[in-house]
Amino acid sequence: MANQQDDGNSSSSQSLPDDVVTEILAYLPAKSVGRLRCVSRSWHAMLSTALFVKLHLRRANDKPKIFFSPTKCDSDKDYQFYAWQPGCAAVTKLMRNDFSRPAVLARPLHGLVLLRCVGEGGYFLCNPSTGEVRPLPDSRAPLKLGSRPPYYFQVVYGFGHCSASHEYKAVRIFSDEMDGAAPSCEVFILNGGTLAYWRPAASQPPMCVLEEKNPAVFLHGQLHFLYQGDGGILTFDVGDETFGWLPQPPCPPRKAPLRMTELDGCLCVFRGDGYSRRCHVWLLRDYAAQRWEKLCCIDQTVWPEPERMLLRSGWIAPLGIFYSGDNGSQKKIVFGTGTCVVFMVDLYDGGMLLPEILFKPHQSIAGDFDDTYNYPAIGIFQESLVTLGISTEDTVFSSPVTKAWSDVLKWLPARSVLQASLVSREWRAMVTTDRFIRSHAAVHARSTRVMFVSDPIVGSFTDLEDHHVNQPHLLGNRGLFRCSQPCHGLNLGSWNLRDYLYNPTTRYRESVHVEVFERDASFAGRIALGYDYEIDDHVMVSLDYEKKNMETRYYNLHCHVRSLRGSWDLVNPPPRPVAIDVMPAYSNGKIYWVVEPKLGPCSAVSQLVAFNTWDREFEVLQGPPCSNFARRRVSIVELYDTICMACYDEDKNAIDIWRMKDDDGAWCVECRIELEEFSPEYSSQRTTLLSSDPVDGRILLNTGWSLGYYDPKAATLETIYTVGEGGGDFGFCPVIVQDSLVRPFMK
């Protein structure tokens, strides 16, 4: 009995063979495998091998899945990527969507997806299964696209894999050059050792024009680029980086554009959308013989009205083919639309039956699914454990030489760094990383200077020492342009009802758009700029009056908030109305507005509205005890690293400066500037405060005609620039600038 019991214990303690365990675990989702790697070191090693990653890729994707994301959500927490499998009612959350209108550009390659951030530009590689994301460098605004001539008008991207070298390569081709030069091709290797930049391909493409809305399709080791028009298909061998050519199918002329994808393991070209009412689909069944087969022609005119209206979209594309019946005799083709609706049709005798609606995303997801036209937010999904390798920053700074040069270059001014970036591709890759930009910003955090606005539309600024009276500088219109103080290297300006984000140091300008109600041209604080240290990104707040009536004191205020890496969200407006003629100011994680005393409930004291950039909440604070504040001109500005309010006493030609002592709204008098002895060059009617000198504490004053530093200790004023007495109505518009390499919307 004892021996039998021992034998039983020995038998029960035996574990399954490792090959059986790996075979079972290969069917699990990637996130489940990731959690199982934490069981033990042996399991982590076993589940991380290249063999298991390949096995998992085959086993876990026996059934197709759809990958999609809503275009708008009610809450920031709802911005997610989702997966759905035909035949299942539920959807699965994959990863958070921190992109602005992401577009799935091609079918997944070993589970990796190439995304384009349509809202703000930029290309990214991500693994939706694991949530890993890696931006492609220099992809939002490449130097060859729209920089100084010669430059190209079109750039198209692709992503492929070389089985011989086991390298993942991103490829981009610039075409349609303004001077008629040949196209240019560049390659970025995902795990390219110390190469963290785009390099020229081994060969360059022939004359052609490629469009960004037609990304490359990877198949048979080749990337396929669709010519503009009916010129054919350009091929790029990912291994030896040589170019070839394929003919297009005999497509009938239509207004709808040609598109390309992979379908049933074959190259697929289709033409049509939900507006042209017909969609033609061809397959390159014999790749070697270049023989095209017309798969089908969808005629939407025979569909019932409900299905036709539901599937009406600017983008309709085949996603996959399913075989059923005896020996796979019945074919079913699944299509996706720009609204992420999925439908299926049966193919037989070269004709089409009525569509079968498989999936309506708005019934499962709380969000909007607007038609995305050329850039769909839907594609095929693959469970995958393939990693994206180390980040570009880690690759760049893996070299001790690069680290040493980084420590040297970060002390240079931003424009000198930009000039140094032309020395080599290695240096350019280094100075464009977030790590270098942050280190450079830390060194120059208190380095500010004065620049003059020459043209706010193109973002033209001139240094004070380079500025002359006869240069263009908003003559007679200085009051129409309003610009914020610098916030971590960026300035926010408003001109002629349009808003722009600037980095004057690098001459970078970005137009800011938000869906808002009709604006008032005099609304100075309609958009404010701050910084969120928690997410390490700038934050913009847009306030808009739908209605306001100074006589009845009625108003209706709306608020939108976004980070530069995110998108606009509608949030609860501030509890009090904000002044329409006072610019907001940012200091220490909060954006401040002056409360409008002529709207809403009457108040016997001045008040401010503060927005916390971290928790996205508004609060009302008591302002300084300025006498007759409702009838006096006021402004808020950051001085001495804290928020200050200036109250202009026009009767006595003086300015009272109040400083906020702490966040609870306690105030103290910082100083009083008596301008009588500096009149008429300076007066309280037209003088504004710009900034304070971080070294000696002097306050920079601006009248639009004269610019000078006031010393609170000595009560003296030194004019550093003036247009003279003959300036008349012609003035200038100075802006305080931080020396910085920060690039708006680049993440």
Side-chain angles (χ1 to χ4, degrees):
M1 294 291 294
N3 291 337
Q4 291 179 358
Q5 186 175 2
D6 291 339
D7 292 342
N9 290 337
S10 175
S11 177
S12 62
S13 63
Q14 292 180 356
S15 60
L16 292 174
D18 289 344
D19 56 344
V20 176
V21 173
T22 55
E23 186 71 27
I24 295 174
L25 299 182
Y27 288 91
L28 295 177
K31 289 185 178 180
S32 300
V33 175
R35 288 191 290 266
L36 290 175
R37 285 174 174 172
C38 301
V39 171
S40 65
R41 292 183 178 180
S42 60
W43 274 41
H44 185 278
M46 177 182 64
L47 301 180
S48 300
T49 61
L51 290 177
F52 180 80
V53 171
K54 292 180 180 179
L55 177 64
H56 176 267
L57 190 65
R58 294 194 305 268
R59 294 287 190 269
N61 296 287
D62 55 337
K63 296 180 180 179
K65 295 180 181 179
I66 306 298
F67 172 60
F68 68 96
S69 178
T71 55
K72 295 180 182 178
C73 294
D74 297 334
S75 172
D76 188 57
K77 297 179 180 179
D78 294 330
Y79 279 99
Q80 301 278 342
F81 284 106
Y82 298 88
W84 171 80
Q85 183 174 315
C88 297
V91 298
T92 303
K93 286 185 179 181
L94 295 177
M95 59 178 285
R96 179 173 171 77
N97 178 8
D98 287 324
F99 307 93
S100 178
R101 287 188 58 207
V104 184
L105 296 184
R107 296 176 70 90
L109 175 58
H110 303 165
L112 304 183
V113 179
L114 178 63
L115 295 177
R116 184 195 175 199
C117 188
V118 180
E120 307 303 345
Y123 286 78
F124 299 81
L125 289 170
C126 77
N127 185 337
S129 303
T130 61
E132 190 178 5
V133 177
R134 182 170 177 182
L136 291 179
D138 187 34
S139 62
R140 183 188 178 273
L143 289 179
K144 292 184 179 180
L145 197 67
S147 60
R148 295 180 179 180
Y151 59 84
Y152 296 90
F153 294 97
Q154 298 285 350
V155 59
V156 59
Y157 285 74
F159 181 57
H161 178 258
C162 177
S163 57
S165 61
H166 304 290
E167 291 178 332
Y168 290 95
K169 295 183 179 181
V171 179
R172 64 182 182 185
I173 298 179
F174 296 91
S175 64
D176 197 11
E177 203 271 334
M178 62 178 300
D179 293 332
S184 175
C185 180
E186 295 180 339
V187 176
F188 177 83
I189 301 177
L190 196 59
N191 297 313
T194 59
L195 300 180
Y197 50 84
W198 295 91
R199 62 165 176 79
S203 62
Q204 293 300 309
M207 291 298 299
C208 62
V209 177
L210 310 176
E211 294 180 304
E212 189 174 21
K213 65 182 180 181
N214 283 323
V217 175
F218 180 70
L219 191 66
H220 304 312
Q222 307 270 344
L223 281 171
H224 302 78
F225 298 87
L226 195 62
Y227 276 73
Q228 187 181 53
D230 298 329
I233 299 172
L234 180 71
T235 63
F236 178 79
D237 191 299
V238 178
D240 58 18
E241 300 184 5
T242 57
F243 287 91
W245 181 84
L246 288 174
Q248 290 180 4
C251 309
R254 290 288 188 275
K255 293 183 179 180
L258 278 178
R259 301 295 173 85
M260 190 166 54
T261 184
E262 176 196 345
L263 188 65
D264 201 26
C266 301
L267 195 64
C268 171
V269 171
F270 57 97
R271 163 170 274 163
D273 53 37
Y275 300 111
S276 61
R277 298 185 179 183
R278 285 182 174 83
C279 183
H280 303 264
V281 182
W282 290 267
L283 289 183
L284 188 60
R285 288 293 189 186
D286 193 335
Y287 191 87
Q290 301 180 359
R291 180 177 60 84
W292 289 93
E293 169 192 325
K294 186 171 184 179
L295 182 64
C296 66
C297 175
I298 299 178
D299 187 358
Q300 300 183 31
T301 60
V302 302
W303 292 356
E305 183 67 15
E307 284 79 1
R308 189 164 64 248
M309 294 305 298
L310 177 63
L311 301 177
R312 184 177 175 85
S313 171
W315 182 89
I316 292 180
L319 298 179
I321 292 181
F322 300 95
Y323 295 90
S324 61
D326 297 336
N327 298 323
S329 58
Q330 296 180 355
K331 298 180 183 179
K332 295 182 179 181
I333 182 169
V334 175
F335 287 83
T337 69
T339 57
C340 295
V341 176
V342 180
F343 68 97
M344 180 174 64
V345 292
D346 289 342
L347 302 175
Y348 75 103
D349 296 334
M352 303 294 300
L353 287 177
L354 299 182
E356 177 186 352
I357 308 298
L358 299 179
F359 179 63
K360 302 176 184 178
H362 57 273
Q363 294 181 346
S364 303
I365 305 299
D368 297 334
F369 293 85
D370 300 328
D371 197 354
T372 50
Y373 299 96
N374 294 323
Y375 299 103
I378 185 174
I380 298 296
F381 167 70
Q382 285 182 340
E383 290 282 355
S384 173
L385 295 169
V386 176
T387 64
L388 295 171
I390 63 175
S391 67
T392 302
E393 287 190 357
D394 291 337
T395 302
V396 169
F397 289 94
S398 61
S399 169
V401 176
T402 301
K403 293 180 180 178
W405 276 117
S406 174
D407 291 336
V408 173
L409 295 180
K410 71 180 181 181
W411 295 95
L412 297 179
R415 290 188 178 177
S416 299
V417 173
L418 294 178
Q419 293 174 349
S421 68
L422 303 178
V423 171
S424 65
R425 293 178 182 268
E426 291 86 350
W427 277 27
R428 171 165 174 78
M430 174 186 62
V431 302
T432 55
T433 61
D434 289 340
R435 183 181 303 182
F436 180 84
I437 292 173
R438 287 193 298 268
S439 64
H440 180 272
V443 171
H444 301 270
R446 302 178 67 85
S447 174
T448 61
R449 66 177 187 269
V450 180
M451 300 185 75
F452 291 105
V453 180
S454 299
D455 189 340
I457 298 179
V458 300
S460 177
F461 295 82
T462 307
D463 280 305
L464 174 63
E465 56 270 20
D466 299 330
H467 192 79
H468 303 286
V469 176
N470 60 354
Q471 288 184 324
H473 43 252
L474 296 182
L475 301 181
N477 294 313
R478 61 186 180 84
L480 296 181
F481 180 75
R482 298 183 175 95
C483 192
S484 71
Q485 291 179 287
C487 176
H488 284 250
L490 300 182
N491 296 78
L492 186 64
S494 298
W495 166 258
N496 196 22
L497 292 182
R498 295 188 178 182
D499 303 294
Y500 302 95
L501 200 60
Y502 302 105
N503 184 337
T505 304
T506 60
R507 298 186 177 92
Y508 198 98
R509 186 223 61 150
E510 187 77 32
S511 181
V512 179
H513 300 284
V514 57
E515 297 178 3
V516 295
F517 298 93
E518 184 177 355
R519 291 175 170 173
D520 188 338
S522 63
F523 188 13
R526 63 175 181 256
I527 292 189
L529 180 67
Y531 199 83
D532 186 348
Y533 290 94
E534 185 72 17
I535 64 174
D536 196 21
D537 195 11
H538 289 80
V539 175
M540 289 189 296
V541 181
S542 173
L543 298 176
D544 293 274
Y545 281 103
E546 182 183 13
K547 296 178 182 179
K548 63 177 184 290
N549 190 315
M550 298 299 184
E551 296 181 358
T552 63
R553 308 185 68 89
Y554 173 79
Y555 73 95
N556 190 7
L557 188 62
H558 296 264
C559 180
H560 292 78
V561 178
R562 68 160 295 174
S563 63
L564 299 193
R565 288 195 295 260
S567 56
W568 290 104
D569 292 324
L570 182 65
V571 301
N572 293 328
R576 296 299 305 274
V578 299
I580 63 176
D581 57 353
V582 182
M583 282 285 292
Y586 168 79
S587 179
N588 298 322
K590 290 185 178 181
I591 305 174
Y592 297 86
W593 293 262
V594 174
V595 170
E596 175 59 64
K598 300 178 182 179
L599 291 174
C602 296
S603 176
V605 296
S606 62
Q607 293 179 320
L608 275 74
V609 169
F611 177 80
N612 192 312
T613 57
W614 176 69
D615 59 15
R616 305 293 199 268
E617 295 289 340
F618 286 97
E619 61 178 327
V620 179
L621 303 174
Q622 182 175 335
C626 300
S627 60
N628 300 324
F629 77 94
R631 296 190 299 272
R632 295 176 63 176
R633 184 167 70 94
V634 299
S635 65
I636 52 176
V637 64
E638 184 189 36
L639 301 176
Y640 313 115
D641 296 326
T642 188
I643 202 70
C644 294
M645 177 179 285
C647 299
Y648 300 86
D649 189 346
E650 297 182 0
D651 295 335
K652 297 182 179 180
N653 199 14
I655 305 175
D656 293 318
I657 301 178
W658 296 79
R659 178 170 58 88
M660 183 182 290
K661 296 171 60 177
D662 44 49
D663 291 339
D664 60 4
W667 296 84
C668 66
V669 177
E670 180 65 29
C671 68
R672 179 179 174 87
I673 304 177
E674 301 284 354
L675 296 174
E676 188 62 32
E677 63 176 296
F678 311 112
S679 180
E681 186 177 7
Y682 295 89
S683 68
S684 59
Q685 294 181 349
R686 66 182 189 183
T687 301
T688 57
L689 280 63
L690 289 183
S691 67
S692 60
D693 191 294
V695 178
D696 55 25
R698 294 183 302 166
I699 301 173
L700 185 61
L701 304 180
N702 169 48
T703 68
W705 293 269
S706 295
L707 195 65
Y709 275 106
Y710 177 80
D711 188 343
K713 298 178 181 179
T716 58
L717 201 160
E718 176 190 2
T719 298
I720 61 174
Y721 183 83
T722 182
V723 296
E725 296 181 358
D729 293 333
F730 301 104
F732 51 73
C733 185
V735 176
I736 305 301
V737 174
Q738 278 182 340
D739 195 74
S740 167
L741 293 166
V742 175
R743 297 164 294 164
F745 298 132
M746 286 301 290
K747 299 180 181 179

